[in-house]
Amino acid sequence: FTRKMVNVAESASFDEKWIPLTDNEKVCKLILEEGTGGIPVQGSTVELEYTGTLLGEADWTTQDVTECWLSQLQGLDHLKSAFVQNDIDGSKLMDTSYFTEEFCIEQLGLSNKIQAKKLVMAAKRLAKQQEDSPPGTLFDSSSERGKNFSFILGNGKAIKAVDLAAGTMKVGEKSKVVCRADYAYG
């Protein structure tokens, strides 16, 4: 199976006919060109030509922040309700004048100053990553390497979003795929 997958940040407008590939709509695809072949089955070898670009976290919702960043990357599930109550979205999380140690202690209820400092440092790292690699930054491309990416569908060797998308693509299909960080490299 050969497919072309393009993950393009500037094309993340959901006014087009984006197809959700997960129940929570954190992985979606837009078919640019219909394929003519079959859809692969789990365990089959899939070959993709792709270009991967960063989408960014500034547009994350509070749900994205709590599910992806707070729970999965920081392991701080117990703070979910405080993040929701304070409506901490991606822009607030990466705003160093807003998301401070004082805020974490006073508004999020952290009593441990070291934990507050670590949480703020993690948010600053995320903001720095966003600054160093803004949305649209190319991070990987099979065409630049001159070799398509080949993997066995469903064996866990591809990032989750690629595995999900490839499993829905017909041979010859060209699609754009967008996903949240926890469905990519994190």
Side-chain angles (χ1 to χ4, degrees):
F1 290 98
T2 303
R3 290 143 182 82
K4 182 165 180 129
M5 181 177 296
V6 184
N7 181 356
V8 191
E10 61 271 10
S11 66
S13 166
F14 288 89
D15 296 337
E16 300 167 296
K17 295 187 186 222
W18 287 89
I19 302 165
L21 302 180
T22 57
D23 289 340
N24 60 10
E25 297 186 9
K26 300 309 175 189
V27 181
C28 297
K29 79 171 182 176
L30 174 67
I31 299 173
L32 302 174
E33 189 176 306
E34 284 284 340
T36 56
I39 294 176
V41 296
Q42 293 290 311
S44 62
T45 299
V46 179
E47 186 175 309
L48 299 174
E49 177 185 339
Y50 69 91
T51 300
T53 60
L54 299 175
L55 191 55
E57 290 82 11
D59 292 332
W60 273 2
T61 65
T62 300
Q63 181 182 5
D64 293 333
V65 169
T66 59
E67 289 177 1
C68 184
W69 186 80
L70 186 66
S71 295
Q72 292 191 21
L73 299 178
Q74 304 307 314
L76 298 172
D77 285 332
H78 67 282
L79 293 176
K80 274 186 176 183
S81 61
F83 267 66
V84 170
Q85 183 179 357
N86 287 280
D87 195 30
I88 306 299
D89 59 13
S91 62
K92 287 180 182 175
L93 180 66
M94 292 185 286
D95 181 345
T96 56
S97 65
Y98 181 86
F99 198 81
T100 63
E101 289 177 46
E102 293 77 25
F103 176 82
C104 290
I105 292 166
E106 295 168 12
Q107 299 300 315
L108 299 180
L110 284 175
S111 56
N112 183 326
K113 289 184 181 185
I114 293 171
Q115 189 178 31
K117 185 176 196 79
K118 286 181 176 180
L119 193 61
V120 169
M121 287 172 49
K124 285 180 179 179
R125 279 192 305 275
L126 184 65
K128 177 75 171 131
Q129 289 170 354
Q130 186 85 28
E131 181 182 310
D132 292 347
S133 301
T137 300
L138 176 73
F139 69 85
D140 196 11
S141 172
S142 64
S143 57
E144 282 192 357
R145 286 191 307 279
K147 183 178 179 187
N148 288 348
F149 176 51
S150 180
F151 64 99
I152 298 173
L153 191 64
N155 77 346
K157 298 296 182 187
I159 63 173
K160 290 183 216 175
V162 169
D163 204 55
L164 286 168
T168 68
M169 295 173 74
K170 295 177 181 178
V171 173
E173 179 178 314
K174 183 177 177 182
S175 293
K176 292 180 184 179
V177 176
V178 294
C179 69
R180 194 170 67 181
D182 52 336
Y183 287 88
Y185 293 105

